[in-house]
Every structure is written in structure tokens, then in C-alpha cells.
């Protein structure tokens, strides 16, 4: 199937030489692969232009089919890998930004000492993003809160995480030791990557608060920077705020809103030996996880 990969790469690069370099082939060898494939098809796929190799009109469906073939070939390899030993395991992990900084490195460092040949593909994102990818089978496990998990997902708790109020150093609320949820009712608000679809939004809705949202940010550090600059307040989890580099004021709510963090996985799909071993390890790690 390598010839299909080469054809697809030419579609992306529009260059025989670039594709040849990527696959450690000579340019004439790549050119011959294209010619042989076109001969098999009984038609021409590419034409040479000043912009490089371009697909001829009407050939897009052929390329789409090649992509499907290559995807299924990769899928076969993934399935085979799950049936092999831990020596060649691969784990796709989704994680919240806070956990990626403060828990995951320690977990994977200790796990990798025992299983050094297992490789990891890590996606950092908001709750919705990693939950969606888990449902799409693009991730094997996710480190997240237990909020809004689907019914086909199992969850192992690791610890609790309190939601905190962020203000600038000059904001009047910074003078409080704790902040009541009603104190932020009329404040301008900076929304994080999950907007108001998860815990913070539920809390605000429960107390009938409709925040005046000035900015929607897709990065939690950007949220803190905007708070520091005085554009508004925000609500973020305490775990994310440890050793924050920003000059902001962090206060707990008087009501003390908390969420439960842990590891989640689909219980309606097969789990590879590598993933199963990591889940076992994480459950043991739970014994030493500190409640925040």
C-alpha cells in the first residue's frame, strides 16, 4: 500500500522531489510509481504545471477512495498492535490542560519506567473536545472530570478540584478572602475553552446568574492573561492555577464548588493490553493522589 501513500503525498506536496525525499526514494522512482499506477487505472491522474503536480479534474473521488484504503490499513495495524504484547503498545490519551501539567507527567514517568516501549499520543483540550474524541474512538482514555460523561463511559476518580474566582490585583473582589457566587452577578466575564457548557456554567445557571461575557478564549492561560490585564473576571479550576505565572488574584467561593477528576474510558469497546495496564496503574496511583 506504500504506492497509495506516495500518491496521496504528491496530492499534498504537488512535488515529486518532496515526496521522494520524504520516503527516501529517488525522484525517477517516484515518477515511475505514478506512471505505473496511472497505467493500472487506464487513465492519467496528474498533470505538470508551474505550481507542480496537479490532479486532473474528476479524479477527486479516486483520491478519496485511496484515503479510505490507507485509513483502513492503518486501522488494521492498530488492531494488530492491540493484540500484541506490551512491548509495542500505543496509547492515545486526551487530557484537560490542568491535568496535563500537574498529574500526567508523574503518572507517565513512573509508568514508562516499567513499560519503556509503550508510546503515547496526547491530546490536550477542553472537556467537550476530549469527550467527543473518546466517543469517536480517536482516543483510548481521557483524564477529565466526571461531568457530562456519556453512559457508555466508565470513570475512575483520582481527586477533587475546587473552582476558583480569578480577578486582577486591582479589582475590588481581590480584597475579599472568599467570594460569594452572588458577588460576581454583575461582573464582566472571560469564558474559558468550554464556554459555559460544563461545571462553571451549571453553577452560574443554578444561581440565576447570566454573566456579561466580553471574551471567549480557547486557551486557559490566555484567560488568565486577560484577567491580569483587567478585562474581567473568570472561573477556573484550582489545579490549573498552581504556580500560575500571571499576576492575578485567586479566591475560593464561599460556597466551595468542587469537581471530581479522574480517568475515563469507553466500556463498550475492546481495550488493548497497554491501555488496560495503564488503567490498572492509574487506579493504584489513585491511592497516593492528593485531594486538592
Amino acid at each position: 500500500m506504500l504506492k497509495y501513500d506516495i500518491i496521496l503525498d504528491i496530492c499534498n506536496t504537488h512535488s515529486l522531489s518532496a515526496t521522494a525525499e520524504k520516503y527516501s526514494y529517488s525522484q525517477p522512482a517516484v515518477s515511475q510509481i505514478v506512471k505505473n499506477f496511472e497505467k493500472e487505472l487506464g487513465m492519467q491522474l496528474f498533470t505538470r504545471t508551474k505550481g507542480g503536480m496537479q490532479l486532473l479534474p474528476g479524479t477527486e473521488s479516486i483520491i478519496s477512495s485511496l484515503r479510505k484504503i490507507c485509513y483502513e490499513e492503518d486501522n488494521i495495524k492498530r488492531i494488530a498492535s492491540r493484540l500484541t504484547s506490551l512491548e509495542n503498545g500505543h496509547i492515545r490519551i486526551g487530557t484537560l490542560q490542568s491535568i496535563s501539567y500537574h498529574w500526567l507527567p508523574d503518572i507517565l514517568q513512573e509508568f514508562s519506567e516499567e513499560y519503556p516501549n509503550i508510546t503515547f499520543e496526547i491530546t490536550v483540550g477542553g472537556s467537550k473536545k476530549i469527550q467527543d474524541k473518546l466517543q469517536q474512538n480517536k482516543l483510548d482514555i481521557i483524564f477529565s472530570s466526571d461531568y457530562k460523561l456519556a453512559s457508555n463511559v466508565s470513570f475512575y476518580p483520582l481527586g477533587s478540584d475546587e473552582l476558583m474566582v480569578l480577578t486582577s490585583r486591582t479589582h475590588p473582589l481581590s480584597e475579599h478572602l472568599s467570594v460569594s457566587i452572588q458577588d460576581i452577578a454583575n461582573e464582566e466575564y472571560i469564558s474559558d475553552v468550554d464556554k459555559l457548557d460544563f461545571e462553571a456554567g451549571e453553577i452560574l445557571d443554578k444561581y440565576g446568574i447570566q454573566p456579561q461575557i466580553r471574551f471567549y478564549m480557547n486557551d486557559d492561560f490566555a484567560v488568565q492573561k486577560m484577567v491580569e490585564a483587567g478585562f474581567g473576571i473568570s472561573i477556573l479550576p484550582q489545579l490549573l492555577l498552581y504556580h500560575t505565572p500571571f499576576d492575578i488574584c485567586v479566591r475560593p467561593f464561599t460556597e466551595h464548588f468542587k469537581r471530581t477528576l479522574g480517568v475515563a474510558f469507553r466500556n463498550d469497546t475492546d481495550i488493548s493490553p497497554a491501555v488496560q495496564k495503564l488503567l490498572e496503574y492509574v487506579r493504584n496511583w489513585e491511592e497516593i493522589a492528593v485531594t486538592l
Side-chain angles (χ1 to χ4, degrees):
M1 299 298 178
L2 179 60
K3 65 180 179 182
Y4 296 159
D5 292 321
I6 288 174
I7 297 295
L8 291 176
D9 195 70
I10 293 172
C11 291
N12 293 329
T13 65
H14 307 291
S15 168
L16 293 175
S17 59
T19 296
E21 182 178 355
K22 177 178 178 179
Y23 288 93
S24 300
Y25 275 37
S26 66
Q27 183 172 331
V30 170
S31 179
Q32 189 61 48
I33 288 172
V34 174
K35 290 179 181 178
N36 289 342
F37 184 59
E38 290 176 331
K39 185 176 180 180
E40 290 176 21
L41 294 176
M43 62 177 290
Q44 187 177 348
L45 271 180
F46 296 97
T47 183
R48 291 180 181 270
T49 70
K50 291 183 179 179
M53 300 289 286
Q54 302 291 337
L55 283 172
L56 289 171
T59 61
E60 293 83 0
S61 58
I62 294 176
I63 299 304
S64 177
S65 293
L66 290 183
R67 289 195 178 98
K68 292 177 183 177
I69 291 171
C70 290
Y71 173 82
E72 290 302 330
E73 182 187 19
D74 289 340
N75 193 41
I76 290 171
K77 293 177 181 177
R78 287 193 293 269
I79 294 172
S81 176
R82 291 172 185 168
L83 300 177
T84 60
S85 69
L86 291 173
E87 293 301 315
N88 299 301
H90 182 75
I91 305 176
R92 300 168 301 167
I93 297 173
T95 176
L96 299 177
Q97 199 170 40
S98 56
I99 295 177
S100 73
Y101 294 146
H102 297 290
W103 285 1
L104 196 58
D106 289 338
I107 292 173
L108 296 185
Q109 181 182 35
E110 296 177 18
F111 181 78
S112 296
E113 288 176 359
E114 187 169 354
Y115 303 101
N117 295 321
I118 292 179
T119 59
F120 302 92
E121 181 181 339
I122 299 175
T123 298
V124 180
S127 298
K128 186 179 188 309
K129 176 182 177 179
I130 61 176
Q131 286 188 22
D132 287 348
K133 285 184 175 291
L134 182 66
Q135 289 298 323
Q136 295 162 8
N137 280 324
K138 294 181 179 179
L139 295 172
D140 299 309
I141 62 173
I142 61 174
F143 288 86
S144 71
S145 74
D146 61 350
Y147 188 74
K148 283 191 174 181
L149 290 176
S151 59
N152 65 337
V153 174
S154 295
F155 180 80
Y156 295 155
L158 294 175
S160 63
D161 189 12
E162 186 164 1
L163 297 180
M164 311 294 282
V165 181
L166 282 64
T167 75
S168 67
R169 289 289 182 183
T170 59
H171 194 284
L173 290 178
S174 67
E175 299 177 3
H176 297 202
L177 294 179
S178 64
V179 177
S180 171
I181 186 69
Q182 295 298 338
D183 290 338
I184 68 172
N186 298 314
E187 296 293 334
E188 293 183 325
Y189 189 83
I190 302 169
S191 178
D192 67 357
V193 63
D194 284 318
K195 298 183 179 179
L196 297 179
D197 295 331
F198 282 78
E199 292 95 343
E202 182 183 60
I203 292 167
L204 294 171
D205 185 62
K206 177 181 177 180
Y207 287 87
I209 296 174
Q210 296 183 341
Q212 304 174 42
I213 301 178
R214 294 193 63 193
F215 298 94
Y216 291 94
M217 314 297 294
N218 66 353
D219 180 270
D220 290 330
F221 279 120
V223 171
Q224 296 178 60
K225 185 62 180 178
M226 296 298 281
V227 169
E228 180 186 55
F231 286 104
I233 69 164
S234 191
I235 300 173
L236 287 178
Q238 184 180 19
L239 183 60
L240 182 69
L241 302 171
Y242 283 158
H243 308 300
T244 178
F246 302 100
D247 187 24
I248 57 177
C249 182
V250 178
R251 294 290 183 264
F253 281 104
T254 306
E255 297 83 357
H256 293 291
F257 303 112
K258 294 185 178 182
R259 64 178 185 170
T260 301
L261 298 179
V263 60
F265 60 97
R266 287 185 56 175
N267 52 39
D268 59 350
T269 59
D270 292 333
I271 297 176
S272 72
V275 172
Q276 183 62 50
K277 188 60 65 175
L278 179 59
L279 287 171
E280 292 173 4
Y281 178 82
V282 170
R283 294 185 74 175
N284 291 329
W285 190 82
E286 173 191 353
E287 297 175 3
I288 62 171
V290 178
T291 299
L292 301 174

